[in-house]
Amino acid sequence: MPKKLTPLDAATRAFRKSIDPYSMFTSQIDAQLAWLRHPQELMRAADEFAADIAALQGHAVRRSLGLPADEVYEPNPKDARFADPIWTESAPWDILKEWYLTMSSRLQKLSYEAPGMSEHERHRAAFWQRNYLNMLSPDNFFWLNPKAMDRYAKTQGESLRLGLKNFARDVEAKNIQMVEPDAFVVGKDLATTAGKVIFRNRLVELIHYAPTTDKVREMPILIVTPWINKFYILDLTEKKSLVKHLTDQGFSVFISSWKNPPKEMHDVRFDDYLTQGVCELVRVTTEFCKVPQLHLVGYCIGGTLAATYMAWANKRFGPDKVPVAHWTLFTSLIDFSEPGEINIFIDEACLEGLDTLMAKKGYLDGTEMAASFRLLRSNSLIWNYWVSSYLMGEKLPAFDVLFWNVDATRMPQAMHSYYLRQMYLHNNLIKPDALTIADESIDLGRIQQSLYAVTAQEDHIAPWEACYKVRQNIHPDAPVRFVRSTSGHILGIINPPVQPPKRSYWVAEPAYGEDAEHWLARADKKPGTWWDDWTTWLHQRTGELVSAYATTSRKYPALADAPGTYVLEK
């Protein structure tokens, strides 16, 4: 028999469902009520709070008298908000900084330790509280930002005039912009590697890149990109292009470019992305090159789809007849049990709210999804631009990765609802035969093909420890080479060779049953980019060198020049 709700609990639940499905406000109320229900723990927390106040008062007195004073709160060295020396050298600004950081830290600790709440509830309360606290940071306000006031004086008010102009620009755009929308042109400045669209259906275009060497490896490489963003993150500029690097290394490269779905495609399912997407791309690529197998690459959600396909194909065709010889994953979640902070959006109430939102349009708009990811790193992805654009009056940077990041796509309602529930909420992908997709039960344990998996140390969208779990979910005998690159979800992958090396990576073959920390402790750390290690691994497995394939064929003529037509759809 279900537990009877108190009037307050019933009212809170009704408010959350109708007005606050993401618990922006109710999570704060829940945390406060949790402390009130535990007076003994509340008294202990009050003592710690009082100790902070006493330490801050002592710090303020010593700084005011010109005496040395230790910092009450040791700031995170990666927190750029207070990096300017004035926040430490000037007593008034140092006092303000210490009060803000100490109080913020204490309030966050209270949320994380709220008694009687589940871990998920505590993390959700702390997440929204942190975003409120980030918004209230003193450097976000003109009269509390010494750099902004100094710039105003030096420019004789011009910085503030430009800031107001930038503010009006963003009000019209209904967004705190990170890059000018016309900073680049896709096909002219970005996505310029030569190639042809050789296949198109209602869901995807397939681009075959022109060879840049006389000989290529016999086995082609097919890259399944995420449809959460557009494909050209892997073909930014010539120096940053992974596909250009691969063609220069003597590989024949094919890539997916997904259609940006309109409302009429609201019923497109995850099954369709498998059957009309990756299945068709594999078929066309192998037919084009007249080979029985290829190398499959999946990035982010494209990697989740690639893993699903590998399990599906091993069931449908049998291990010996799968048209994929081996595969690669870039920062892809397979096990969603620990997906990082994005998990605060994953519960039944949140997903019901999303379903209601998507039902009105037939899709989840890309800007709405982008907003949730920006909240995960609000200081660097929101308030940094608030300060630079409005308080400092600076121009938006012409940064190719940022331009790509805001070139958002939509998610079909049926697919996205299924993906969030079955993968994130219920984690059914790792449960043998829990999902049936395209008429086949999915068991990752059937995957026996060799895997090269790349993760990123600072990835907040697909944490590397969570991505590592793929080793435990595919067949125990499947060979795996695992990499952890420095940087994050994007720059950990867009990591071209440079001299001297800017980044590094850890690499080793994990044993079945070996945990992530043990693997990391014994992995080799190497300077530079994992691109070199990967291409060496590919050369050993993708067959003999043959004459380069023509970019098109009689059966698959050019439908458009790269980057195609789907990538240009807004």
Side-chain angles (χ1 to χ4, degrees), residues 33-46 115:
L33 291 175
W35 280 107
L36 291 175
R37 293 188 187 108
H38 296 79
Q40 189 171 1
E41 289 85 351
L42 180 61
M43 289 301 295
R44 174 186 56 77

Side-chain angles (χ1 to χ4, degrees), residues 155-383:
T155 63
Q156 297 182 334
E158 180 67 9
S159 62
L160 192 57
R161 187 190 70 81
L162 293 173
L164 292 172
K165 183 179 178 181
N166 291 340
F167 181 76
R169 173 203 66 202
D170 288 358
V171 167
E172 184 177 359
K174 299 179 182 178
N175 192 17
I176 300 175
Q177 297 189 89
M178 298 189 290
V179 64
E180 292 287 358
D182 58 354
F184 300 94
V185 176
V186 176
K188 179 182 177 182
D189 307 306
L190 308 175
T192 58
T193 300
K196 302 289 183 182
V197 175
I198 62 166
F199 172 81
R200 179 190 296 128
N201 63 20
R202 70 167 185 148
L203 202 55
V204 67
E205 291 180 334
L206 178 63
I207 300 170
H208 180 210
Y209 288 99
T212 57
T213 57
D214 294 332
K215 300 284 187 177
V216 298
R217 291 293 173 182
E218 182 180 20
M219 187 179 293
I221 296 173
L222 169 62
I223 303 175
V224 179
T225 54
W227 53 95
I228 288 176
N229 293 98
K230 295 184 178 179
F231 84 90
Y232 64 87
I233 187 60
L234 297 178
D235 185 31
L236 282 172
T237 61
E238 183 176 357
K239 291 183 178 180
K240 296 180 181 178
S241 174
L242 178 60
V243 295
K244 179 67 165 57
H245 179 79
L246 288 171
T247 58
D248 288 347
Q249 293 292 313
F251 296 102
S252 188
V253 181
F254 297 74
I255 200 167
S256 65
S257 176
W258 300 97
K259 183 174 179 62
N260 196 4
K263 62 181 180 181
E264 291 79 13
M265 294 178 68
H266 66 93
D267 58 348
V268 171
R269 303 168 301 153
F270 193 84
D271 294 48
D272 298 320
Y273 276 84
L274 189 139
T275 57
Q276 299 174 35
V278 64
C279 283
E280 282 292 271
L281 301 181
V282 169
R283 179 188 65 80
V284 172
T285 302
T286 52
E287 280 187 8
F288 184 93
C289 296
K290 296 181 174 62
V291 293
Q293 290 182 307
L294 53 71
H295 179 81
L296 183 65
V297 180
Y299 187 5
C300 189
I301 190 175
T304 306
L305 179 64
T308 307
Y309 170 82
M310 292 298 292
W312 180 91
N314 273 276
K315 177 77 179 295
R316 173 64 64 92
F317 305 117
D320 297 333
K321 296 183 179 179
V322 173
V324 175
H326 23 71
W327 57 310
T328 293
L329 291 176
F330 296 161
T331 60
S332 299
L333 286 174
I334 307 303
D335 185 329
F336 290 79
S337 58
E338 298 178 28
E341 276 200 310
I342 195 69
N343 196 44
I344 68 103
F345 294 110
I346 308 298
D347 60 28
E348 197 58 51
C350 285
L351 297 188
E352 285 181 8
L354 274 177
D355 283 341
T356 301
L357 181 66
M358 290 190 291
K360 296 176 182 177
K361 302 177 181 179
Y363 55 78
L364 180 66
D365 193 88
T367 57
E368 293 161 341
M369 180 176 295
S372 65
F373 285 120
R374 289 182 76 175
L375 285 170
L376 298 179
R377 294 291 183 271
S378 60
N379 278 335
S380 58
L381 297 179
I382 298 176
W383 301 114

Side-chain angles (χ1 to χ4, degrees), residues 17 128 132 179 210 214 325 432:
K17 185 174 182 180
W128 288 117
Y132 299 139
V179 64
D214 294 332

